[in-house]
Amino acid sequence: MAKILVNNSGPLEGEVKISGAKNAVLPLMAATLLTPDTCVIDDVPDLSDVMVMRKMLESFGAVVSMSDPGKLSVNAAEITTVEGDAELVSQMRASTMAMGPLLARCGKVVMPLPGGCTIGKRPIDLHLKGFKALGATVTEDLENSSIIIEAPKGGLVGDAIYLDFPSVGATENILMAAALAKGPTILENAAKEPEIVDLANMLNKMGAKIKGAGTDTIRITGVDELSGAIHTVIPDRIECGTFMLAAAITRGKVLIRNGIPGHVRPIIAKLKECGVSVNVDEEGILVDATKGNLVATDIKTLPYPGFPTDIQSPFMAFLTTVEGTSVVRETVFENRFMHVVELNRMGADISTDNSREATIPGGKQLHGAKVRSTDLRAGAAMVLAGLVATGTTEVSEIYHIERGYEDFVGKFKSLGADLMRVEEHDV
Ligand code: EPZ
């Protein structure tokens, strides 16, 4: 298994270009199953999750090719099966994004139940609630731990759906299913993330009739069929936030090109509260922490447009280095503090009275240690901590990081970070 060795790197300086968003490209790829025509998706990041989704599409019979770097072409004219591949689903929860498109296009889908992961049990009850509201029946095949979802004989029928929680995945799956349902669907308490808007934009290019994406009420008027489209993925706001924090934690100065400021407002606001200078202009987002004297702040993660849960662990790493005590509350996932133990191995001295609230005393000089990536964002957080720790930090299980960050090591090196990727036997 590969690791990343990180040495104390001093202030990062320079500029970095943000890649296409992992959490946008995965649903966009799933949406190509909705049409027999060819779809072309541009700015696709080179990530292991994208490779898994490509294999998922091919397992259903789609023909997938990468004509130029980042340009993915998918043709799902022939759907050869509606049964999800258990191995692929176990590798990546986002494989469940195929449920909505296959149910809408083929009238049936059999999906192995996605495993939970380190950040929580991550059920799909809200996805299934949406499909049932559109007339589908859901039966559990306990023997094969999978679910069978079937549309009525005449196809899905639009209806009103209320999401108990603004689930990103459920919103995306329901959007894709309702796009081909008969009649109107109104989705209330929908997720408002930019990735939802990106998906709705591509679906509308394909001929769907979706209004209100990005608000908590989305109206979909079903159509009989969808055609192909050409679409460019939005930049990755979580990668953008990660590099903003890399500048902040190292007290450096980094220009982040092509990140969308409107997608990272909570991160800009919180960094400013800590005393970091953040300027936005046509060049990009300039994060300047060279003036130092940074202070603590409190963080509470919420669905968009609140503070993003995916930036919670990188921000916590940063908070260990500023003067004063911070409190971090995680409200989206029930177990997303696994990185606390790892940061404490480096001397962070963080305490948590449950898996929802952590107290960070701050003002720490972290020291290098052997630490794990407990999820992809926590892995990035450990690298950030390693940049300012004394000595060398060895971050293992970096396959998590490579799921969601394109050229992670290369981009950090271009900013002056002293780190390297090594295979287990090299260490
Ligand atoms: C998406 O996951 C992202 N993944 C996650 O990013 C992100 O953290 C999350 O949204 C929240 O923003 C992708 O887009 C591929 P949810 P998703 O459904 O769709 C509960 C990363 O690091 N819930 O909004 O799985 C669930 O248990 C990843 O890039 C139900 O109870 O998130 C969780 O507590 C991590 N029932 C909360 O909602 C359901 O049917 C948020 O889940 C669905 C979700």
Side-chain angles (χ1 to χ4, degrees):
M1 286 235 271
K3 296 172 187 252
I4 294 178
L5 303 183
V6 194
N7 290 320
N8 186 297
S9 295
L12 296 193
E13 303 216 342
E15 59 182 71
V16 66
K17 182 176 181 292
I18 300 304
S19 302
K22 166 179 86 83
N23 291 348
V25 73
L26 296 176
L28 294 175
M29 290 173 74
T32 64
L33 294 170
L34 283 163
T35 173
D37 297 348
T38 297
C39 292
V40 177
I41 305 173
D42 213 346
D43 273 2
V44 172
D46 178 15
L47 304 171
S48 55
D49 268 11
V50 169
M51 294 320 293
V52 172
M53 184 56 90
R54 171 174 179 164
K55 287 188 188 135
M56 179 58 86
L57 295 180
E58 289 169 337
S59 74
F60 292 122
V63 175
V64 186
S65 61
M66 187 73 98
S67 46
D68 301 313
K71 194 186 280 278
L72 191 78
S73 167
V74 184
N75 179 282
E78 301 295 322
I79 300 282
T80 55
T81 177
V82 292
E83 296 205 18
D85 177 298
E87 169 54 29
L88 293 173
V89 173
S90 69
Q91 285 179 40
M92 182 182 68
R93 169 190 167 79
S95 316
T96 55
M97 286 289 115
M99 292 192 295
L102 287 175
L103 180 63
R105 172 105 184 273
C106 309
K108 182 176 180 180
V109 57
V110 180
M111 188 57 69
L113 288 170
C117 60
T118 55
I119 62 179
K121 59 181 185 307
R122 301 182 78 180
I124 55 169
D125 56 310
L126 296 175
H127 301 237
L128 302 179
K129 175 180 183 179
F131 298 148
K132 286 177 191 166
L134 299 176
T137 55
V138 177
T139 46
E140 278 208 48
D141 173 354
L142 295 175
E143 201 178 313
N144 301 309
S145 67
S146 60
I147 42 169
I148 300 149
I149 311 168
E150 291 182 279
K153 281 281 164 289
L156 298 173
V157 179
D159 202 336
I161 303 167
Y162 171 79
L163 286 181
D164 306 53
F165 180 88
S167 154
V168 171
T171 300
E172 291 164 343
N173 247 328
I174 293 164
L175 271 194
M176 291 189 278
L180 288 178
K182 286 183 179 36
T185 293
I186 178 167
L187 179 57
E188 298 193 283
N189 198 27
K192 299 185 271 190
E193 276 72 359
E195 293 77 29
I196 307 284
V197 177
D198 204 29
L199 174 62
N201 287 341
M202 183 169 124
L203 289 170
N204 283 338
K205 283 182 189 174
M206 295 167 69
K209 291 187 170 47
I210 298 170
K211 288 191 169 50
T215 75
D216 58 12
T217 303
I218 304 178
R219 296 171 192 281
I220 307 111
T221 305
V223 294
D224 293 337
E225 58 183 10
L226 293 172
S227 55
I230 298 172
H231 188 77
T232 299
V233 187
I234 53 170
D236 193 317
R237 61 192 170 95
I238 305 302
E239 183 191 20
C240 181
T242 304
F243 280 103
M244 291 168 72
L245 283 158
I249 197 170
T250 60
R251 308 307 189 258
K253 186 174 180 180
V254 174
L255 174 65
I256 294 160
R257 290 200 179 283
N258 91 309
I260 298 177
H263 291 175
V264 290
R265 286 202 193 293
I267 308 167
I268 294 174
K270 283 296 172 180
L271 283 177
K272 285 183 172 176
E273 281 178 22
C274 294
V276 177
S277 158
V278 183
N279 286 301
V280 170
D281 64 21
E282 63 286 347
E283 290 296 305
I285 302 169
L286 180 64
V287 180
D288 181 351
T290 52
K291 306 280 182 302
N293 298 326
L294 302 183
V295 296
T297 189
D298 295 340
I299 299 287
K300 179 177 179 182
T301 68
L302 287 168
Y304 195 89
F307 190 92
T309 173
D310 293 347
I311 290 292
Q312 181 253 106
S313 50
F315 211 103
M316 189 185 285
F318 164 62
L319 290 173
T320 67
T321 69
V322 303
E323 282 311 314
T325 299
S326 306
V327 175
V328 171
R329 290 179 187 81
E330 172 59 57
T331 74
V332 176
F333 287 103
E334 74 268 22
N335 186 29
R336 205 169 193 179
F337 278 159
M338 307 277 277
H339 46 282
V340 167
V341 167
E342 305 305 319
L343 287 168
N344 283 344
R345 275 188 231 284
M346 302 176 73
D349 196 20
I350 302 165
S351 56
T352 62
D353 52 7
N354 54 37
S355 66
R356 294 283 190 175
E357 185 173 297
T359 301
I360 298 97
K364 298 294 179 191
Q365 171 53 62
L366 301 177
H367 55 77
K370 290 189 176 183
V371 294
R372 292 174 50 227
S373 309
T374 51
D375 76 45
L376 85 105
R377 308 303 175 184
M382 301 322 295
V383 170
L384 295 188
L387 293 174
V388 295
T390 55
T392 299
T393 299
E394 194 180 286
V395 183
S396 62
E397 300 176 38
I398 61 164
Y399 58 87
H400 284 296
I401 298 177
E402 291 168 342
R403 289 185 49 194
Y405 287 97
E406 183 177 54
D407 189 20
F408 185 81
V409 170
K411 289 187 179 183
F412 271 96
K413 276 185 172 171
S414 73
L415 295 171
D418 177 2
L419 78 175
M420 63 188 291
R421 183 184 191 281
V422 295
E423 291 300 335
E424 185 76 53
H425 48 72
D426 293 344
V427 179

